[in-house]
Amino acid sequence: MEATQALYASVSYRKAPGTLILKPNGVLHWKPSNAASNIREFSIQDVHLNGLQVSKPGAAQVALRLVAKEGHNIDGEGVALLTFNAEKNTALEHREKFKERLAAAIAKARAEQPSATSTASTSTSLSSAQSDTSEVKIRGQVLLSNPSLLALHKEVVGSGTISDADFWSHPARAALLRAERAKTEQKQGRQGQLADPHPTQNESGELKINITPQLIRELFEQYPVLTRAYDENVPTKLDETTFWMRYFQSKLYHRLRTSLRSAASEQHIPDDDIFDKYLEAEDNELEPRQKYNPHDALLNLAATEEDHGPTGNAQDWTMQPGFDRRTLPLMRRFNKHAESLLTSSLGEMTEEDARRVRRKTGGVGEEYGSTSKKPRISRYDEEIVIDDLNDQRGVQGRRLRIQDPKNYYASDSNSQEVTTSTPLNQVDLDRFSQSLNGWKLELAKFAPKGDIMRKTLSLMLENMKQQKAGPSQESMKGMPPDIFKQLLTCHAATSEFLQQFWQAILPSADQDPSQSPSVVERARKAQTMLTILRKTDARIEKVAQIAEAALPGQGHANVMEAFSSTRKAVQRALSYVDAV
C-alpha cells in the first residue's frame, strides 16, 4: 500500500541541500547532502508535530513549515522551514505527499487527545497573527518613508486622540498602504540567464562546483531530462551527493552546457551507465525536432516588409537558421528558454489560457478540446474577417402597435390646423434669423472707459503681487526651525481632526455601506472630534506664545496670520454643528 511506502524528496534546510525521508513507521528524517556540512541531520516522529504550514500558491519557493509540540524540538528549535528543490510542479507534488501523510498522522494523534486544539484552528490563528504582523510592518514602512506622516501619526495617534484604524482610513493613506503592499507582495520573476555552472579551481588544483538550492531549482526548470534522471535514480540508486558528482562528470552535462561546448570534448569523457541513457541526438537539422502546430498563427504578409533593405543581385540569407549546424541546438535552446520566461510572466493562468499556451506545441485536438456539441468559432475568425467584404444590413425595427389608429391620426391633423392658424411665430423666427446673420463682432472698435480699465488692471497687478510675495512665507523667515516644526505639526493635526469630523458628519457617497460605521459610531466620533476642535485656539495660542518669546513683537502676529485659514475652517465646523 502507498501508506506503508517511504517518501523521498530533495529538500533544503537552512539553505543546505539534503534529502527528506518519511519512513513507514512515521519517522521524519532529514540529512544533508554534504557530510561535511555544519547543518546537522534531524529526526522527529510524526505524532510529535503540532501543525503544518505551506507557502502561498505561486510563491517563489515551495516550502513546508513544521511546528513541534511542547516538549519536543526539531534540531533544537520549535519550528523548521523546509524548501523543496525540484522543479516547481514536481516540488509541489512531493510536498503534497508529505503534507497528506503528516496531516493524517497529526489529526489521528489529536483525535486521541481531546484536550488538544484542532489543526484548522491552529492554522487559522497562526495565519491571522501573521496577517496582523504583516499589516503592522507595512504601516511602519509607510511611516518611515514619509517623515511628515510619521510626525502626524505621533501627534494624533501616539497621544491617543484618535485610533490607528481611523488614521489609516483616510483615502490617501489607504492608497499608500495599497502601494506598499503591492510592492511587498511583488514576486520576483525567473532569471533570464540560463543556468550554466562552471567549475572553479582551488589552491590545491581541484575543480569544484558550488551547488546551491537556487542552482538546483534552475537546472530542474530548464532541463526536464535532468529532472527525470533525478526522480528515477535518487535515492533508490544514488544519493544526492553522488548524483551531482557523476552528473558534472558525464556527457549529459557537457551536452547541456551553453558555453565551451564541443563535440570533441565529449569523446574524452568516460561512459556513465546512468546518465548516458538520457542522451539525445543534437537538434541540428534545418527543421527543428519540435514540430509547431500549423494552426498556431496566421501568416502576416507585411510582417517582414521593412526588416532589412534591398540586397540587390546578391542572395539574401537573412532567414536561414544558421550557417553552422553546431549552433542550431544552442539557438533553439535559447528560444525555448525565452518562451518559458514569457510564459512564466503570465502568472496564474486559467484553463483556457493554459490551453492556448499548449496549442503552440500541441495538435488540433488541443485547439478544439471542448466537448460541447455546439459549433465552436475559431479564435482566428475575428482576425481574418474584412469588414468591407461583409454585407452591411440595416437594423430592422419593430412596428409600433397603436391601440386606436383613428384617434391618433385625428389628433395629428388637429395639431397641424393649430400650427397653420398662427403664422406669426414663423414670421418672427425669420426676422430674428435675418438680424442675427447680419450681426458681426468687432472688438477693434470696442473702447472701454479709461477709469474702468485702470481700476481692473491695478487689481490684477495687486493680486499677482500678493501671490508672488507670499506674506505667510515672508513672516516665517525668521522663525526658528524647532518652532516652525511645532507650527507645522499643529496645523497637520488640526487638519486631521477636521477631516475626521467631516467624514463622520458627512460620509462619502462612494463608501461601501457594508463597511461604513453605524450612525451611533459616527455620532460618537463626531462628538469626540468636536471636543478636540473647540481646543484649537488654545493649541494655536500656545505655539504663538512660544514664537513670541523667540521673536518679540512679531512672533505672535505671524503665527496668528499663518493659522487664519485654519481657524476659519474650524469656526465653520463649529457653526455647522450649532446650526444643526
Side-chain angles (χ1 to χ4, degrees):
M1 296 176 62
E2 185 180 358
T4 60
Q5 295 178 356
L7 297 179
Y8 299 88
S10 174
V11 174
S12 295
Y13 173 62
R14 294 184 178 179
K15 298 183 179 181
T19 303
L20 184 66
I21 307 174
L22 181 57
K23 300 179 181 180
N25 58 359
V27 175
L28 185 66
H29 180 74
W30 179 86
K31 61 179 180 179
S33 302
N34 188 2
S37 176
N38 56 356
I39 305 299
R40 300 177 301 176
E41 59 181 307
F42 67 83
S43 298
I44 186 172
Q45 189 71 29
D46 53 5
V47 294
H48 295 160
L49 295 175
N50 190 38
L52 303 173
Q53 291 178 336
V54 297
S55 55
K56 296 181 180 179
Q61 293 182 345
V62 180
L64 176 66
R65 188 170 183 263
L66 307 177
V67 182
K69 289 183 177 180
E70 295 184 3
H72 302 275
N73 61 78
I74 305 173
D75 192 21
E77 301 289 341
V79 295
L81 183 63
L82 306 177
T83 305
F84 289 76
N85 297 327
E87 190 268 334
K88 192 167 185 179
N89 293 333
T90 306
L92 288 172
E93 182 181 356
H94 290 171
R95 187 190 68 181
E96 291 302 316
K97 291 181 179 179
F98 276 87
K99 188 185 74 172
E100 291 176 0
R101 289 271 293 273
L102 293 175
I106 294 173
K108 183 178 179 181
R110 289 182 177 179
E112 297 174 356
Q113 299 178 358
S115 60
T117 57
S118 63
T119 306
S121 62
T122 303
S123 302
T124 304
S125 60
L126 288 174
S127 61
S128 61
Q130 290 179 353
S131 177
D132 295 340
T133 304
S134 63
E135 184 66 20
V136 172
K137 184 178 179 181
I138 291 174
R139 292 179 179 180
Q141 292 174 351
V142 172
L143 292 177
L144 291 177
S145 59
N146 297 272
S148 59
L149 190 63
L150 177 60
L152 178 61
H153 187 272
K154 291 180 180 179
E155 178 70 20
V156 298
V157 180
S159 60
T161 306
I162 64 175
S163 63
D164 192 60
D166 291 338
F167 180 82
W168 293 107
S169 63
H170 193 280
R173 294 162 200 155
L176 291 176
L177 290 178
R178 287 194 299 269
E180 186 66 26
R181 191 178 296 108
K183 180 181 177 181
T184 305
E185 296 177 355
Q186 187 176 9
K187 301 174 184 177
Q188 184 178 4
R190 289 175 52 187
Q191 294 185 1
Q193 184 179 4
L194 281 169
D196 188 18
H198 299 282
T200 57
Q201 191 172 7
N202 55 17
E203 297 178 357
S204 59
E206 297 178 350
L207 295 178
K208 182 181 179 181
I209 296 179
N210 186 21
I211 303 177
T212 61
Q214 180 67 22
L215 176 61
I216 295 175
R217 189 179 304 109
E218 291 177 359
L219 289 174
F220 285 154
E221 289 177 353
Q222 295 172 14
Y223 307 117
V225 63
L226 186 59
T227 306
R228 183 162 57 92
Y230 182 90
D231 294 338
E232 293 177 357
N233 297 282
V234 179
T236 56
K237 299 180 182 180
L238 302 173
D239 57 20
E240 190 168 1
T241 304
T242 308
F243 174 85
W244 292 113
M245 290 179 61
R246 292 182 60 171
Y247 165 70
F248 288 113
Q249 297 175 2
S250 65
K251 297 180 180 179
L252 181 62
Y253 163 67
H254 290 271
R255 182 71 59 84
L256 297 179
R257 294 188 65 177
T258 57
S259 61
L260 301 178
R261 302 176 73 254
S262 176
S265 62
E266 298 184 8
Q267 299 177 0
H268 303 286
I269 300 175
D271 297 337
D272 191 300
D273 56 344
I274 292 181
F275 289 98
D276 287 353
K277 63 182 181 181
Y278 297 100
L279 288 173
E280 296 179 354
E282 290 279 16
D283 188 10
N284 55 4
E285 299 295 335
L286 293 180
E287 290 294 331
R289 186 179 303 158
Q290 183 177 356
K291 300 298 182 182
Y292 286 92
N293 189 351
H295 299 276
D296 178 55
L298 297 172
L299 179 60
N300 188 358
L301 299 179
T304 58
E305 183 178 1
E306 297 182 0
D307 281 359
H308 50 276
T311 58
N313 296 331
Q315 292 181 337
D316 184 8
W317 300 101
T318 307
M319 302 307 293
Q320 186 173 346
F323 293 101
D324 191 354
R325 294 177 60 180
R326 292 176 299 178
T327 62
L328 289 179
L330 190 58
M331 293 169 57
R332 287 164 182 163
R333 187 179 303 169
F334 284 146
N335 292 337
K336 186 177 180 181
H337 177 65
E339 183 179 359
S340 66
L341 288 176
L342 294 175
T343 303
S344 64
S345 65
L346 299 176
E348 298 293 333
M349 294 185 296
T350 61
E351 180 60 27
E352 182 179 356
D353 295 333
R355 185 167 56 249
R356 186 180 298 112
V357 173
R358 290 195 301 268
R359 265 199 300 266
K360 296 181 179 180
T361 56
V364 179
E366 287 289 345
E367 185 172 0
Y368 305 98
S370 177
T371 57
S372 177
K373 296 182 179 180
K374 297 181 179 180
R376 179 173 178 175
I377 301 176
S378 173
R379 61 192 178 102
Y380 296 115
D381 284 354
E382 297 181 358
E383 300 182 20
I384 63 177
V385 169
I386 301 177
D387 296 335
D388 295 340
L389 301 181
N390 290 337
D391 185 13
Q392 302 293 337
R393 297 182 179 179
V395 180
Q396 296 181 357
R398 299 177 61 182
R399 294 189 61 183
L400 178 64
R401 296 181 179 180
I402 302 175
Q403 185 175 4
D404 193 355
K406 294 182 179 180
N407 294 335
Y408 176 79
Y409 292 109
S411 60
D412 186 62
S413 61
N414 293 335
S415 62
Q416 290 180 358
E417 293 177 359
V418 173
T419 303
T420 55
S421 62
T422 57
L424 182 60
N425 295 335
Q426 185 71 23
V427 174
D428 294 343
L429 179 61
D430 294 340
R431 186 180 303 171
F432 175 76
S433 300
Q434 293 177 2
S435 61
L436 185 62
N437 293 332
W439 180 82
K440 294 182 180 181
L441 178 63
E442 297 180 354
L443 294 178
K445 298 181 179 180
F446 176 72
K449 297 181 180 180
D451 54 347
I452 297 178
M453 288 296 297
R454 284 191 298 270
K455 185 177 180 180
T456 304
L457 184 59
S458 62
L459 291 175
M460 291 174 58
L461 293 176
E462 184 65 23
N463 189 16
M464 294 173 61
K465 184 178 179 181
Q466 292 179 1
Q467 293 180 359
K468 186 177 180 181
S472 299
Q473 296 182 2
E474 292 290 337
S475 61
M476 293 293 110
K477 277 188 176 181
M479 193 73 66
D482 55 341
I483 301 178
F484 185 69
K485 185 177 181 180
Q486 294 181 21
L487 189 146
L488 292 179
T489 303
C490 182
H491 176 268
T494 307
S495 300
E496 178 65 24
F497 299 146
L498 285 171
Q499 172 71 25
Q500 297 291 337
F501 171 77
W502 289 114
Q503 188 176 1
I505 293 295
L506 302 173
S508 175
D510 299 335
Q511 190 175 4
D512 189 2
S514 61
Q515 298 180 358
S516 60
S518 62
V519 178
V520 177
E521 293 177 353
R522 286 167 43 200
R524 188 184 300 112
K525 182 178 178 181
Q527 185 64 33
T528 303
M529 294 297 106
L530 191 63
T531 305
I532 298 173
L533 289 175
R534 288 196 174 102
K535 302 177 182 179
T536 302
D537 290 340
R539 291 194 301 271
I540 296 176
E541 183 65 27
K542 183 179 179 180
V543 178
Q545 292 177 0
I546 298 175
E548 182 66 22
L551 297 175
Q554 59 178 349
H556 188 278
N558 292 343
V559 171
M560 288 301 177
E561 181 183 0
F563 276 99
S564 59
S565 300
T566 305
R567 297 177 66 188
K568 290 180 181 178
V570 173
Q571 291 298 327
R572 182 178 180 182
L574 297 178
S575 61
Y576 179 83
V577 175
D578 296 338
V580 174

